[in-house]
């Protein structure tokens, strides 16, 4: 599948009579869990990123233990989009992962139908703030465990218990580098949001 192909194939012989409905979704999580990679992997346009170099000062604040090769970090947001089918276009907004940029979240999340909270099981503590935020705001969300190096450190049941999320919050394992895997995770959030609205 190429980046310009829709996620869900419609009939090419019957193009949409009107532009696809724009839908906003947020990609959130802690520092270095794969948010920028997720948006970049799925976006059908060149993604907009606000990456800045990690300085020595920032390296002293942000834990680089599990991401030693990370040289940049998102300081505002990531943005990309993907056509789901001829009737629906998904606009993705990735949040910054560090607590000190948390003041931006309300603006980024406003109008979103749901969120994908990305988790690195080697450091679950980093995603508590994102989970708490979506729960507090009452925004539908799913938890996506990023399989770094093709594996995860804990089972989904263990992750659910550690995060203390209800059975109504879907948990999936995905690979932020694989387009099909990212697509499937986003569709889980979309289906959850549609179910909440009775769509």
């Amino acid at each position: 599948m190429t980046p310009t192909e829709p996620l869900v194939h419609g009939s090419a012989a019957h193009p949409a009579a009107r532009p696809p409905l724009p839908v906003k979704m947020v990609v959130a999580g802690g520092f270095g869990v794969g948010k920028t990679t997720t948006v970049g992997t799925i976006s059908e346009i060149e993604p907009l990123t606000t990456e800045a170099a990690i300085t020595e000062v920032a390296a002293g604040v942000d834990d680089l233990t599990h991401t030693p090769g990370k040289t940049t970090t998102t300081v505002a947001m990531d943005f990309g989009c993907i056509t789901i089918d001829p009737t629906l276009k998904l606009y993705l907004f990735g949040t910054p992962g560090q607590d000190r940029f948390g003041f931006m979240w309300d603006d980024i999340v406003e109008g979103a139908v749901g969120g994908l909270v990305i988790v690195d099981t080697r450091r679950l503590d980093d995603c508590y703030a994102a989970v708490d935020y979506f729960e507090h705001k009452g925004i539908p969300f799913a938890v996506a465990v990023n399989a770094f190096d093709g594996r995860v450190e804990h089972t989904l049941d263990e992750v659910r218990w550690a995060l203390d999320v209800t059975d109504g919050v879907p948990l999936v394992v995905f690979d932020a580098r694989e387009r099909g895997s990212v697509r499937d995770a986003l569709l889980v959030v979309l289906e959850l949001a549609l179910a909440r609205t009775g769509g």
Side-chain angles (χ1 to χ4, degrees):
M1 181 179 290
T2 64
T4 56
E5 291 177 340
L7 293 181
V8 178
H9 294 285
S11 172
H14 301 287
R18 65 182 76 179
L21 178 71
V23 174
K24 181 178 183 180
M25 188 180 293
V26 175
V27 178
F31 171 75
V33 295
K35 300 180 298 297
T36 299
T37 300
T38 296
V39 173
T41 295
I42 199 69
S43 182
E44 65 192 15
I45 64 169
E46 184 69 26
L48 167 69
T49 62
T50 54
E51 295 277 286
I54 296 176
T55 64
E56 288 185 17
V57 173
V61 175
D62 300 320
D63 184 4
L64 300 175
T65 304
H66 295 288
T67 55
K70 188 172 176 62
T71 59
T72 62
T73 185
T74 301
V75 294
M77 68 174 186
D78 299 312
F79 173 77
C81 64
I82 182 68
T83 302
I84 299 296
D85 63 29
T87 66
L88 192 64
K89 190 164 190 173
L90 200 57
Y91 290 88
L92 302 172
F93 290 78
T95 64
Q98 301 94 322
D99 290 343
R100 62 184 178 276
F101 297 124
F103 66 91
M104 300 178 186
W105 277 50
D106 284 344
D107 289 332
I108 294 173
V109 171
E110 184 177 359
V113 299
L116 184 70
V117 176
I118 301 177
V119 170
D120 180 349
T121 55
R122 299 170 299 182
R123 44 199 176 94
L124 286 171
D125 290 357
D126 290 355
C127 73
Y128 290 151
V131 169
D132 289 345
Y133 183 89
F134 286 106
E135 287 181 337
H136 178 71
K137 293 288 186 180
I139 298 172
F141 72 98
V143 172
V145 177
N146 196 0
F148 284 89
D149 300 321
R151 69 179 195 276
V152 295
E153 298 291 324
H154 302 283
T155 68
L156 290 183
D157 285 341
E158 290 171 335
V159 172
R160 185 178 297 281
W161 178 86
L163 298 181
D164 193 26
V165 292
T166 68
D167 290 341
V169 176
L171 267 71
V172 298
V173 175
F174 88 124
D175 187 331
R177 301 164 300 178
E178 296 291 333
R179 188 169 193 269
S181 187
V182 172
R183 172 201 61 203
D184 292 345
L186 294 174
L187 288 177
V188 167
V189 179
L190 188 59
E191 289 168 4
L192 181 66
L194 290 174
R196 287 275 190 100
T197 61

